[in-house]
Amino acid sequence: MSDLFKNIVSHSKEYGFIYPSSEIYDGLSAVYDYGVYGSELKQAIKEYWWKAMVYAHENIVGIDSAIFMHPRIWKASGHVDAFNDPLIDNKDSKKRYRADVLLEDYMAKIQGKLDKEIEKARKRFGDGFDEKMYRETNERVAGYQNQIDEVNDKMNDALRKNDLVALKALIDSCEIADPESGSRNWTDVRQFNLMFNTQLGNIAGEEGKLYLRPETAQGIFVNFLNVQKTSRQKIPFGIAQIGKAFRNEIVARQFIFRMREFEQMEMQYFIQPGSELDWYAYWKEKRMNWHLALGTSPDKLRFHDHENLAHYANAAVDIQFDFPFGFKELEGIHSRTDFDLGSHQEYSGKKITYFDSDLNESYVPYVVETSIGCDRMFLATMSNAYTEETVPDAEGKDSSRTVLKLPPALAPVKCAILPLIRTESGLTETARKLFNDLKFSVNCQYDEKDTIGRRYRRQDAVGTPYCVTIDHQTLEDQTVTIRERDSMSQERVPIIKVSSIISEKVSLEPLLRKL
Ligand code: GAP
């Protein structure tokens, strides 16, 4: 873990954003609880997504389907047979790894050496450094690059062909050792299904085997006919859903990046066959704009085309975010063809078609999907916001602060109400009255404990964008100061205007209008 990442993890715990699950029992690996502020931030992320997808599009409607579904659904979707990761065990340490992750880590190590060489050369040659030429001509750097390319090609080829023997041979030939024990005593590579299962109460054996859904999408597909009928939508139209998903990840690490229980925000867009690549391009752009509207720097986001397509897709791309551990998948956009509806039609024996009055024909609709993990979006938002900086204190001296520069519309607490001095007569009463006026329109916090400087720092640490201070001047002229979190500048405004000023500043509406 980089220092930045460690600091984000400990800040999240200390300030009530994320707690390890079951902590008093030493935790449960890759499962987390959202705390006092985390639950608010997560809720705000979901609201931003839901309004951008459902409210902003007349032709997108929302549902909330159950986590348990008929077990044949997972046969039809391909998850029973193909939702696997290649697994390898180390015979000495008894630790279990994903074969592809061991190879990726191996390549990342070589990449690290390569980056170091480039940095050294940059320092040596100064402004005149031609990185492209250096990469091509420096033997050591070119050698590292060839090594990475060769391993990457072989790994992707083996994954595409589902060739587990070739994957094992590659791990052996790279002489990859168990990162914990250093042992190279590996088992063969086997497929490991990622679905959790449980048993229905009143049916024994395979018949009663239930799965915890590994994606929310199938709840949308199996409700296609219901939703189309009740919403009277015409193609193209979308169905959106936010809900829990479960995957028995072999390698669960990097905090909430890869969890065993997580939440997805998915939208399936039903379209005419043949139009899928146009809609795929459309949703790529739309979804990237959703991220950018939050003020995320464009160089922190990029598209990454899939090299190995999932069993249901004919095109797929990730929106990657530059997490503290590098660029990684934040969201996926997939052209799923008619695979899912077609397959449910076959397995259920029920006709799942749409009569298109424009074309005067019936067909199984094609689908373009947008799928983002709520928890990954949470981590991206925290990574973007977490800032340690030096700022002047009340006496003008340097002091350090940790501040979450969250977009105001997503901040867990929108506004803090702070009477300057608790004991000064009239201040707490006025502050309480303001708090009671504001509390039904925005989430605000009343705080009268400690010095005003300490209270500001406490609010900075949880990302509160505005602090309203009630001081003795308030009692004279009914004005208060509003302090803005990032600039720390203060503005004096009439107390009766506070509610409308804050509500406007923290509203989601301007973000949604940008989309
Ligand atoms: N319905 C398509 C689907 O599930 P996916 O790429 O497997 O596609 C979509 O998952 C998104 O769900 C990912 O981009 C990621 O944000 C999130 N996600 C997937 N597995 C996750 C995990 N184990 N922990 C947290 N988020 C996860």
Side-chain angles (χ1 to χ4, degrees), residues 226-240:
N226 282 335
V227 176
Q228 198 273 320
K229 203 167 129 200
T230 46
S231 65
R232 292 182 294 114
Q233 289 285 349
K234 288 177 74 175
I235 272 177
F237 78 95
I239 306 178

Side-chain angles (χ1 to χ4, degrees), residues 345-363:
Q345 178 168 259
E346 189 187 326
Y347 275 76
S348 67
K350 307 277 182 339
K351 200 165 138 195
I352 308 182
T353 53
Y354 170 80
F355 177 72
D356 192 324
S357 52
D358 296 338
L359 299 180
N360 201 25
E361 65 178 70
S362 289
Y363 52 79

Side-chain angles (χ1 to χ4, degrees), residues 4-133:
L4 170 66
F5 191 32
K6 274 189 207 151
N7 292 347
I8 292 173
V9 174
S10 60
H11 190 87
S12 298
K13 164 94 196 299
E14 189 180 343
Y15 286 91
F17 283 84
I18 294 170
Y19 311 127
S21 160
S22 323
E23 199 186 5
I24 58 168
Y25 290 92
D26 297 333
L28 181 63
S29 154
V31 186
Y32 291 91
D33 297 336
Y34 284 82
V36 189
Y37 298 106
S39 54
E40 285 285 339
L41 174 56
K42 193 179 185 201
Q43 198 55 39
I45 290 171
K46 291 198 260 187
E47 187 188 351
Y48 175 45
W49 185 86
W50 190 262
K51 288 190 166 161
M53 298 307 257
V54 181
Y55 290 18
H57 296 93
E58 276 181 60
N59 68 341
I60 299 183
V61 291
I63 63 164
D64 181 9
S65 69
I67 287 170
F68 289 139
M69 305 206 279
H70 196 288
R72 272 221 303 282
I73 285 173
W74 304 110
K75 193 75 190 154
S77 68
H79 284 83
V80 170
D81 296 319
F83 195 54
N84 300 318
D85 274 342
L87 158 115
I88 190 164
D89 289 309
N90 187 279
K91 291 183 196 162
D92 296 326
S93 70
K94 311 278 180 246
K95 288 268 172 194
R96 181 163 279 188
Y97 298 92
R98 255 174 72 173
D100 53 336
V101 171
L102 283 179
L103 288 162
E104 273 164 13
D105 288 351
Y106 172 79
M107 288 186 275
K109 259 191 208 149
I110 303 174
Q111 184 68 48
K113 289 184 195 165
L114 191 158
D115 291 345
K116 253 192 203 149
E117 291 291 330
I118 299 279
E119 271 324 296
K120 263 200 288 182
R122 195 189 307 284
K123 277 192 194 135
R124 192 158 12 111
F125 295 114
D127 287 346
F129 179 54
D130 182 342
E131 184 178 326
K132 186 167 177 285
M133 191 163 83

Side-chain angles (χ1 to χ4, degrees), residues 228-277:
Q228 198 273 320
K229 203 167 129 200
T230 46
S231 65
R232 292 182 294 114
Q233 289 285 349
K234 288 177 74 175
I235 272 177
F237 78 95
I239 306 178
Q241 160 153 248
I242 299 177
K244 289 269 183 171
F246 304 83
R247 296 184 189 179
N248 199 357
E249 301 282 358
I250 302 165
V251 184
R253 59 178 183 189
Q254 286 157 333
F255 194 35
I256 55 168
F257 181 80
R258 197 175 297 287
M259 301 157 89
R260 298 203 164 100
E261 173 181 340
F262 57 102
E263 211 161 352
Q264 288 186 316
M265 307 190 283
E266 298 203 295
M267 193 277 302
Q268 312 296 323
Y269 203 65
F270 298 93
I271 51 176
Q272 282 180 0
S275 66
E276 68 270 21
L277 292 184

